[in-house]
Amino acid sequence: MTLGSGGSSVVVPRNFRLLEELERGEKGIGDGTVSYGMDDGDDIYMRSWTGTIIGPHNTVHEGRIYQLKLFCDKDYPEKPPSVRFHSRINMTCVNHETGVVEPKKFGLLANWQREYTMEDILTQLKKEMAAPHNRKLVQPPEGTYF
Amino acid sequence: MKVFVKTLKGTHFEIEVNPSDTLSEVKKNIETVQGADVYPAAQQMLIHQGKVLKDGTTLEENKVAENSFIVIMLSKTKSSSGEGSTTSTAPSVKASATPTSTSVSAAPQAPASTGATPTPVTAPAAPASAAAPAPISSGSAVPESDIYGQAASNLVAGSNLEGTIQQILDMGGGSWDRDTVVRALRAAYNNPERAVEYLYSGIPEQAEAPPVTREPASAQPANPPAAAPQAAQPASVPSSGPNANPLDLFPQGLPNVGSGAAGAGSLDFLRNSQQFQALRAMVQANPQILQPMLQELGKQNPHLMRLIQEHQVDFLRLINEPVEGGEGNILGQLASAMPQAVTVTPEERQAIERLEAMGFDRATVLEVYFACNKNEELAANYLLDHMHEFDE
């Protein structure tokens, strides 16, 4: 996130940026179908985050809650966080054995820009669930984990 | 302290809680405030900052502070059939590589018995003339009066329509405008699931024709008493949404009447069709199934659908005519749809359960298992190889 002022731009440091995201997560995002927060409150580097996505309507995911883990390394937001589904899910961009969202198969991570946020990732994953190639895929039993 | 509870409908309400309250107590609190019929405690799922809050823990442990937001959703009630259904709709199997695929419905799971008595599994009888297997149906019994109500359960109307339009707009994330969504819903006869499909794949021109509308009540003859008693209807309901396992309306039995044959009696040929007589009896017993059936007909026989749209008055006159032959006639027509029993041994039942545990729904497992001549390994391989092909 850069703040422009008369030609010069200020890059918001990693920690400030993550504090902004934490604050936004605490307020509750949008319609509540995606949410996120810190996984480990004691981690001063704010690396481990947890998120949930509520499956979109009119898809096989409807009525399910998917839990994810996001890891923002020290080069975040220059580099995207690593994203892994904790709840089992069958999706084209998710590794079937590890639950990792594969950056090459998920546009937002493949074309990452530093303005993108964890909220954007979760929202985009929710949209991906509703895409034609994912919305009807047979899913593992509810309540199973990677 | 005050905590805000956000619902998935976009509204929120506040509750008064203590940091030391357990989640079970909070859920009871919500149930009391909002009403047990709206948010039963047993079905509540509470989410805070990306964590699903567990019943045994307290708000303090979950770092829920003053003015925090919690998201509430209701988990689906577990069906009594005990089937590990993994999808909201039962996928149909494209069994091209397998021998004749037997269609079997998911019966309520019997407790494991030590005796060697085989467990019956109900299977709809395929009509002798039908080349394709009969549709998979789920065995979770539904009160008979609700059978056709279920068929229309996905169709939205009235106040629900506005909410559905908004949901679809949100789902598209701004990529569709309201007008397009309304057009898609109209083309899908207000079935949101099909409307979303149309939005992704394009709205078929033919589907955009206005749906068949009823005449004003004054012009309509009074509906005669239902010819078929509810008990005559099969007690198994298609496991997926409406029209997922279509009723084969007027398959090949109808003459290919050209639209040139217009005139008052242009739909009279329907009167002699057995399928139409059965349809008429069902519609007179349950008028709400007319729309889903017409929607299905539009896919199966677009020519006939066009004819019906051109002669709506004639069609309504025909559909409201008293059924000839009374009850016996319709009972005979529905007899072929009554479930029959197929027996499986305890070993076979265990094999079916193991396949289900792999994450496939019961109906699909049964169909594939029987199609593979009860060879568990073959069925497992088929399910895994074709998991992406299972369609709604």
Side-chain angles (χ1 to χ4, degrees):
Chain A
M1 193 178 292
T2 56
L3 303 173
S5 161
S8 66
S9 63
V10 180
V11 174
V12 177
R14 174 184 182 280
N15 279 22
F16 286 5
R17 162 66 182 271
L18 284 170
L19 283 167
E20 276 177 26
E21 292 200 45
L22 178 63
E23 201 176 326
R24 181 150 169 76
E26 282 170 353
K27 284 178 184 163
I29 315 158
D31 59 1
T33 53
V34 301
S35 83
Y36 67 91
M38 275 192 66
D39 198 16
D40 178 6
D42 300 327
D43 178 12
I44 57 166
Y45 294 110
M46 296 191 284
R47 286 174 297 197
S48 295
W49 296 71
T50 183
T52 55
I53 300 173
I54 294 173
H57 290 286
N58 302 315
T59 69
V60 293
H61 307 286
E62 184 169 351
R64 289 183 168 213
I65 298 177
Y66 294 102
Q67 296 179 57
L68 302 89
K69 302 286 180 196
L70 299 100
F71 188 83
C72 299
D73 220 331
K74 294 194 178 174
D75 50 10
Y76 179 84
E78 301 302 333
K79 296 270 174 68
S82 57
V83 185
R84 184 175 68 82
F85 273 86
H86 179 46
S87 310
R88 272 199 175 276
I89 188 169
N90 183 12
M91 240 171 115
T92 53
C93 61
V94 176
N95 184 296
H96 288 186
E97 273 142 37
T98 60
V100 170
V101 177
E102 297 179 348
K104 286 177 188 169
K105 295 180 184 174
F106 182 53
L108 195 90
L109 296 181
N111 308 304
W112 180 259
Q113 294 174 27
R114 79 180 323 274
E115 293 78 33
Y116 293 158
T117 62
M118 284 181 276
E119 180 186 339
D120 294 329
I121 293 172
L122 296 173
T123 306
Q124 195 57 43
L125 278 169
K126 186 183 158 223
K127 279 187 190 164
E128 192 67 18
M129 287 177 191
H133 50 276
N134 284 316
R135 61 191 291 267
K136 292 181 187 176
L137 290 181
V138 177
Q139 294 303 311
E142 225 168 321
T144 55
Y145 301 96
F146 283 108
Chain B
M1 66 177 182
K2 197 164 56 178
V3 169
F4 295 99
V5 182
K6 187 181 280 194
T7 74
L8 295 182
K9 295 183 187 116
T11 60
H12 68 265
F13 56 90
E14 55 185 66
I15 52 169
E16 197 62 45
V17 289
N18 294 314
S20 57
D21 287 352
T22 65
L23 263 297
S24 306
E25 289 164 345
V26 173
K27 287 178 182 181
K28 291 256 167 57
N29 184 343
I30 293 170
E31 183 182 68
T32 310
V33 173
Q34 296 295 308
D37 52 335
V38 185
Y39 286 114
Q43 278 178 257
Q44 287 178 36
M45 305 272 277
L46 300 178
I47 301 165
H48 174 64
Q49 289 187 29
K51 288 193 185 81
V52 179
L53 306 180
K54 295 192 173 73
D55 280 355
T57 60
T58 66
L59 292 175
E60 200 169 17
E61 286 165 17
N62 287 294
K63 300 185 173 62
V64 178
E66 177 89 35
N67 294 334
S68 284
F69 269 93
I70 292 177
V71 176
I72 186 168
M73 77 167 277
L74 292 181
S75 61
K76 283 182 276 190
T77 46
K78 297 283 179 279
S79 61
S80 57
S81 64
E83 53 184 283
S85 174
T86 56
T87 55
S88 55
T89 53
S92 59
V93 183
K94 294 179 175 61
S96 51
T98 58
T100 54
S101 71
T102 314
S103 169
V104 182
S105 77
Q109 208 163 306
S113 54
T114 47
T117 48
T119 314
V121 179
T122 56
S129 61
I136 298 169
S137 65
S138 153
S140 47
V142 169
E144 283 149 357
S145 60
D146 193 34
I147 285 173
Y148 291 113
Q150 286 255 335
S153 62
N154 273 18
L155 304 182
V156 288
S159 57
N160 293 345
L161 186 59
E162 202 50 48
T164 304
I165 291 169
Q166 196 49 53
Q167 271 176 8
I168 295 173
L169 283 168
D170 294 345
M171 189 171 157
S175 49
W176 309 312
D177 58 29
R178 188 187 170 79
D179 190 45
T180 311
V181 171
V182 171
R183 268 176 48 233
L185 270 166
R186 195 177 300 134
Y189 291 88
N190 285 9
N191 180 334
E193 197 161 323
R194 189 159 286 145
V196 171
E197 207 146 275
Y198 285 162
L199 286 164
Y200 278 117
S201 58
I203 304 169
E205 288 171 37
Q206 177 192 322
E208 288 193 66
V212 174
T213 50
R214 290 184 170 274
E215 287 179 284
S218 57
Q220 257 187 25
N223 266 10
Q230 294 291 349
Q233 290 155 5
S236 62
V237 181
S239 57
S240 46
N243 312 327
N245 298 317
L247 191 66
D248 198 6
L249 301 179
F250 321 119
Q252 297 89 14
L254 294 181
N256 210 4
V257 179
S259 52
S266 58
L267 288 176
D268 280 353
F269 66 90
L270 285 175
R271 196 180 275 112
N272 306 321
S273 158
Q274 277 198 322
Q275 286 99 334
F276 179 78
Q277 286 166 16
L279 166 69
R280 179 168 58 192
M282 288 182 203
V283 168
Q284 287 177 3
N286 289 279
Q288 76 261 36
I289 67 162
L290 179 61
Q291 215 179 20
M293 279 186 161
L294 286 172
Q295 182 182 339
E296 203 49 59
L297 175 61
K299 287 196 303 181
Q300 292 178 8
N301 195 332
H303 177 76
L304 179 61
M305 187 63 193
R306 201 159 48 245
L307 211 59
I308 288 170
Q309 282 173 346
E310 285 166 15
H311 305 284
Q312 290 181 22
V313 179
D314 290 348
F315 180 72
L316 288 168
R317 177 174 52 75
L318 279 170
I319 210 87
N320 282 306
E321 277 180 0
V323 181
E324 298 159 346
E327 291 180 15
N329 185 24
I330 186 67
L331 282 171
Q333 287 164 18
L334 290 175
S336 63
M338 294 299 279
Q340 293 179 342
V342 173
T343 54
V344 291
T345 64
E347 293 79 34
E348 287 165 357
R349 194 180 74 236
Q350 282 164 9
I352 289 165
E353 284 165 8
R354 280 195 294 274
L355 291 167
E356 266 187 275
M358 289 164 60
F360 298 96
D361 73 299
R362 190 176 179 82
T364 305
V365 165
L366 286 167
E367 184 167 8
V368 173
Y369 183 66
F370 282 99
C372 294
N373 291 326
K374 302 181 183 177
N375 180 329
E376 185 184 354
E377 198 174 336
L378 196 63
N381 286 337
Y382 184 87
L383 286 164
L384 291 167
D385 290 347
H386 295 76
M387 67 192 297
H388 298 296
E389 290 178 24
F390 296 152
D391 205 9
E392 197 168 280

Short mmCIF file of all heavy atoms in Angstrom, two decimals, chain A residues 59-88:
data_model
loop_
_atom_site.label_atom_id
_atom_site.label_comp_id
_atom_site.label_asym_id
_atom_site.label_seq_id
_atom_site.Cartn_x
_atom_site.Cartn_y
_atom_site.Cartn_z
N THR A 59 -24.17 -24.04 -4.67
CA THR A 59 -23.00 -24.84 -5.04
C THR A 59 -22.97 -26.02 -4.08
O THR A 59 -23.70 -26.03 -3.08
CB THR A 59 -21.68 -24.05 -4.88
OG1 THR A 59 -21.46 -23.83 -3.47
CG2 THR A 59 -21.71 -22.71 -5.59
N VAL A 60 -22.09 -26.98 -4.36
CA VAL A 60 -21.95 -28.12 -3.44
C VAL A 60 -21.37 -27.68 -2.10
O VAL A 60 -21.43 -28.42 -1.13
CB VAL A 60 -21.06 -29.23 -4.04
CG1 VAL A 60 -21.72 -29.88 -5.22
CG2 VAL A 60 -19.69 -28.69 -4.42
N HIS A 61 -20.81 -26.49 -2.07
CA HIS A 61 -20.16 -26.00 -0.84
C HIS A 61 -21.15 -25.32 0.11
O HIS A 61 -20.79 -24.98 1.23
CB HIS A 61 -19.06 -24.99 -1.20
CG HIS A 61 -18.08 -25.50 -2.21
ND1 HIS A 61 -17.12 -26.43 -1.90
CD2 HIS A 61 -17.93 -25.24 -3.53
CE1 HIS A 61 -16.41 -26.70 -2.99
NE2 HIS A 61 -16.89 -26.00 -3.99
N GLU A 62 -22.38 -25.13 -0.34
CA GLU A 62 -23.36 -24.39 0.46
C GLU A 62 -23.55 -25.04 1.83
O GLU A 62 -23.65 -26.26 1.95
CB GLU A 62 -24.71 -24.36 -0.27
CG GLU A 62 -25.75 -23.53 0.45
CD GLU A 62 -27.00 -23.29 -0.39
OE1 GLU A 62 -27.01 -23.60 -1.59
OE2 GLU A 62 -27.96 -22.78 0.19
N GLY A 63 -23.56 -24.20 2.86
CA GLY A 63 -23.79 -24.68 4.22
C GLY A 63 -22.56 -25.28 4.88
O GLY A 63 -22.63 -25.76 6.01
N ARG A 64 -21.42 -25.24 4.20
CA ARG A 64 -20.19 -25.78 4.80
C ARG A 64 -19.29 -24.63 5.24
O ARG A 64 -19.28 -23.58 4.62
CB ARG A 64 -19.42 -26.62 3.78
CG ARG A 64 -20.08 -27.94 3.45
CD ARG A 64 -19.21 -28.71 2.49
NE ARG A 64 -19.66 -30.09 2.38
CZ ARG A 64 -18.86 -31.12 2.17
NH1 ARG A 64 -17.56 -30.94 2.06
NH2 ARG A 64 -19.33 -32.34 2.07
N ILE A 65 -18.52 -24.88 6.29
CA ILE A 65 -17.53 -23.89 6.74
C ILE A 65 -16.15 -24.46 6.45
O ILE A 65 -15.83 -25.57 6.90
CB ILE A 65 -17.66 -23.60 8.25
CG1 ILE A 65 -19.03 -23.01 8.56
CG2 ILE A 65 -16.56 -22.65 8.70
CD1 ILE A 65 -19.26 -22.76 10.03
N TYR A 66 -15.36 -23.73 5.69
CA TYR A 66 -13.99 -24.17 5.38
C TYR A 66 -13.01 -23.34 6.20
O TYR A 66 -13.09 -22.11 6.21
CB TYR A 66 -13.71 -24.00 3.90
CG TYR A 66 -14.54 -24.92 3.04
CD1 TYR A 66 -15.66 -24.44 2.36
CD2 TYR A 66 -14.23 -26.26 2.91
CE1 TYR A 66 -16.44 -25.28 1.59
CE2 TYR A 66 -15.01 -27.12 2.14
CZ TYR A 66 -16.10 -26.62 1.48
OH TYR A 66 -16.88 -27.46 0.72
N GLN A 67 -12.11 -24.03 6.89
CA GLN A 67 -11.10 -23.33 7.68
C GLN A 67 -9.77 -23.35 6.93
O GLN A 67 -9.41 -24.37 6.34
CB GLN A 67 -10.94 -24.01 9.04
CG GLN A 67 -12.22 -23.91 9.87
CD GLN A 67 -12.07 -24.62 11.21
OE1 GLN A 67 -11.18 -24.30 11.99
NE2 GLN A 67 -12.94 -25.56 11.49
N LEU A 68 -9.07 -22.23 6.96
CA LEU A 68 -7.80 -22.10 6.24
C LEU A 68 -6.73 -21.55 7.17
O LEU A 68 -7.03 -20.90 8.17
CB LEU A 68 -7.92 -21.12 5.07
CG LEU A 68 -8.95 -21.38 3.99
CD1 LEU A 68 -10.26 -20.72 4.34
CD2 LEU A 68 -8.47 -20.81 2.66
N LYS A 69 -5.49 -21.80 6.79
CA LYS A 69 -4.34 -21.21 7.48
C LYS A 69 -3.60 -20.34 6.47
O LYS A 69 -3.35 -20.78 5.34
CB LYS A 69 -3.39 -22.29 8.00
CG LYS A 69 -4.03 -23.29 8.95
CD LYS A 69 -4.28 -22.69 10.31
CE LYS A 69 -4.91 -23.70 11.26
NZ LYS A 69 -5.49 -23.05 12.43
N LEU A 70 -3.27 -19.14 6.88
CA LEU A 70 -2.48 -18.25 6.02
C LEU A 70 -1.18 -17.92 6.75
O LEU A 70 -1.20 -17.69 7.97
CB LEU A 70 -3.25 -16.96 5.72
CG LEU A 70 -4.57 -17.12 4.97
CD1 LEU A 70 -5.74 -17.06 5.95
CD2 LEU A 70 -4.75 -16.04 3.93
N PHE A 71 -0.09 -17.91 6.01
CA PHE A 71 1.20 -17.62 6.63
C PHE A 71 1.86 -16.46 5.89
O PHE A 71 2.21 -16.57 4.71
CB PHE A 71 2.10 -18.87 6.60
CG PHE A 71 3.37 -18.70 7.38
CD1 PHE A 71 3.39 -18.89 8.75
CD2 PHE A 71 4.55 -18.33 6.74
CE1 PHE A 71 4.57 -18.72 9.48
CE2 PHE A 71 5.72 -18.16 7.46
CZ PHE A 71 5.73 -18.35 8.83
N CYS A 72 1.95 -15.34 6.60
CA CYS A 72 2.55 -14.13 6.00
C CYS A 72 4.01 -14.06 6.42
O CYS A 72 4.30 -13.70 7.57
CB CYS A 72 1.82 -12.88 6.48
SG CYS A 72 0.09 -12.87 6.04
N ASP A 73 4.89 -14.40 5.52
CA ASP A 73 6.32 -14.41 5.87
C ASP A 73 6.84 -12.97 5.97
O ASP A 73 6.10 -12.02 5.76
CB ASP A 73 7.10 -15.22 4.84
CG ASP A 73 8.18 -16.07 5.52
OD1 ASP A 73 8.66 -15.64 6.58
OD2 ASP A 73 8.51 -17.14 5.00
N LYS A 74 8.13 -12.85 6.23
CA LYS A 74 8.67 -11.51 6.48
C LYS A 74 8.69 -10.64 5.22
O LYS A 74 8.85 -9.43 5.32
CB LYS A 74 10.07 -11.63 7.09
CG LYS A 74 9.99 -12.25 8.49
CD LYS A 74 11.24 -12.09 9.29
CE LYS A 74 11.06 -12.69 10.69
NZ LYS A 74 12.29 -12.68 11.47
N ASP A 75 8.52 -11.27 4.05
CA ASP A 75 8.50 -10.46 2.83
C ASP A 75 7.08 -10.08 2.40
O ASP A 75 6.87 -9.55 1.32
CB ASP A 75 9.23 -11.19 1.69
CG ASP A 75 8.77 -12.62 1.52
OD1 ASP A 75 7.74 -13.00 2.14
OD2 ASP A 75 9.42 -13.38 0.77
N TYR A 76 6.08 -10.38 3.24
CA TYR A 76 4.70 -9.95 2.97
C TYR A 76 4.64 -8.43 3.21
O TYR A 76 5.28 -7.95 4.14
CB TYR A 76 3.73 -10.68 3.91
CG TYR A 76 2.28 -10.28 3.74
CD1 TYR A 76 1.49 -10.87 2.76
CD2 TYR A 76 1.70 -9.31 4.56
CE1 TYR A 76 0.16 -10.51 2.61
CE2 TYR A 76 0.37 -8.94 4.40
CZ TYR A 76 -0.40 -9.54 3.43
OH TYR A 76 -1.72 -9.18 3.26
N PRO A 77 3.94 -7.64 2.44
CA PRO A 77 3.06 -7.99 1.32
C PRO A 77 3.73 -7.95 -0.06
O PRO A 77 3.03 -7.99 -1.06
CB PRO A 77 2.00 -6.91 1.42
CG PRO A 77 2.72 -5.71 1.93
CD PRO A 77 3.82 -6.21 2.80
N GLU A 78 5.06 -7.85 -0.08
CA GLU A 78 5.73 -7.89 -1.39
C GLU A 78 5.46 -9.24 -2.06
O GLU A 78 5.25 -9.32 -3.26
CB GLU A 78 7.25 -7.69 -1.23
CG GLU A 78 7.66 -6.39 -0.57
CD GLU A 78 7.14 -5.16 -1.30
OE1 GLU A 78 6.92 -5.23 -2.52
OE2 GLU A 78 6.93 -4.13 -0.63
N LYS A 79 5.51 -10.29 -1.24
CA LYS A 79 5.24 -11.64 -1.74
C LYS A 79 3.92 -12.10 -1.11
O LYS A 79 3.61 -11.72 0.02
CB LYS A 79 6.36 -12.59 -1.31
CG LYS A 79 7.72 -12.26 -1.91
CD LYS A 79 7.90 -12.99 -3.25
CE LYS A 79 9.18 -12.58 -3.96
NZ LYS A 79 10.38 -13.03 -3.26
N PRO A 80 3.18 -12.94 -1.80
CA PRO A 80 1.90 -13.38 -1.24
C PRO A 80 2.09 -14.32 -0.05
O PRO A 80 3.14 -14.96 0.07
CB PRO A 80 1.25 -14.13 -2.41
CG PRO A 80 2.38 -14.59 -3.25
CD PRO A 80 3.44 -13.55 -3.12
N PRO A 81 1.09 -14.41 0.81
CA PRO A 81 1.19 -15.39 1.90
C PRO A 81 1.00 -16.80 1.34
O PRO A 81 0.47 -16.96 0.23
CB PRO A 81 0.01 -15.02 2.80
CG PRO A 81 -0.97 -14.36 1.90
CD PRO A 81 -0.19 -13.70 0.82
N SER A 82 1.44 -17.80 2.09
CA SER A 82 1.10 -19.17 1.67
C SER A 82 -0.26 -19.48 2.29
O SER A 82 -0.53 -19.12 3.43
CB SER A 82 2.16 -20.16 2.13
OG SER A 82 2.32 -20.09 3.52
N VAL A 83 -1.10 -20.12 1.50
CA VAL A 83 -2.48 -20.37 1.92
C VAL A 83 -2.73 -21.87 1.88
O VAL A 83 -2.40 -22.53 0.88
CB VAL A 83 -3.49 -19.65 0.99
CG1 VAL A 83 -4.91 -19.82 1.50
CG2 VAL A 83 -3.13 -18.19 0.84
N ARG A 84 -3.30 -22.40 2.95
CA ARG A 84 -3.56 -23.84 3.01
C ARG A 84 -4.93 -24.08 3.63
O ARG A 84 -5.27 -23.49 4.66
CB ARG A 84 -2.48 -24.52 3.86
CG ARG A 84 -2.59 -26.03 3.92
CD ARG A 84 -1.41 -26.63 4.68
NE ARG A 84 -1.43 -26.29 6.09
CZ ARG A 84 -2.16 -26.94 7.00
NH1 ARG A 84 -2.94 -27.94 6.65
NH2 ARG A 84 -2.11 -26.58 8.27
N PHE A 85 -5.71 -24.92 2.98
CA PHE A 85 -7.00 -25.31 3.55
C PHE A 85 -6.76 -26.32 4.66
O PHE A 85 -6.00 -27.28 4.47
CB PHE A 85 -7.90 -25.94 2.48
CG PHE A 85 -8.71 -24.94 1.70
CD1 PHE A 85 -8.18 -24.32 0.58
CD2 PHE A 85 -10.00 -24.62 2.08
CE1 PHE A 85 -8.92 -23.39 -0.14
CE2 PHE A 85 -10.76 -23.70 1.37
CZ PHE A 85 -10.21 -23.08 0.25
N HIS A 86 -7.40 -26.09 5.79
CA HIS A 86 -7.34 -27.06 6.88
C HIS A 86 -8.49 -28.06 6.69
O HIS A 86 -8.31 -29.27 6.82
CB HIS A 86 -7.46 -26.32 8.22
CG HIS A 86 -7.43 -27.22 9.42
ND1 HIS A 86 -6.51 -28.23 9.57
CD2 HIS A 86 -8.23 -27.27 10.52
CE1 HIS A 86 -6.75 -28.86 10.71
NE2 HIS A 86 -7.78 -28.30 11.30
N SER A 87 -9.66 -27.53 6.33
CA SER A 87 -10.80 -28.41 6.03
C SER A 87 -10.58 -29.03 4.66
O SER A 87 -10.13 -28.35 3.74
CB SER A 87 -12.10 -27.61 5.99
OG SER A 87 -12.23 -26.81 7.12
N ARG A 88 -10.93 -30.29 4.54
CA ARG A 88 -10.78 -30.96 3.23
C ARG A 88 -11.73 -30.34 2.22
O ARG A 88 -12.89 -30.09 2.53
CB ARG A 88 -11.08 -32.45 3.36
CG ARG A 88 -9.87 -33.25 3.73
CD ARG A 88 -10.03 -34.73 3.42
NE ARG A 88 -8.79 -35.42 3.68
CZ ARG A 88 -7.78 -35.50 2.83
NH1 ARG A 88 -7.88 -34.94 1.64
NH2 ARG A 88 -6.68 -36.13 3.14
#
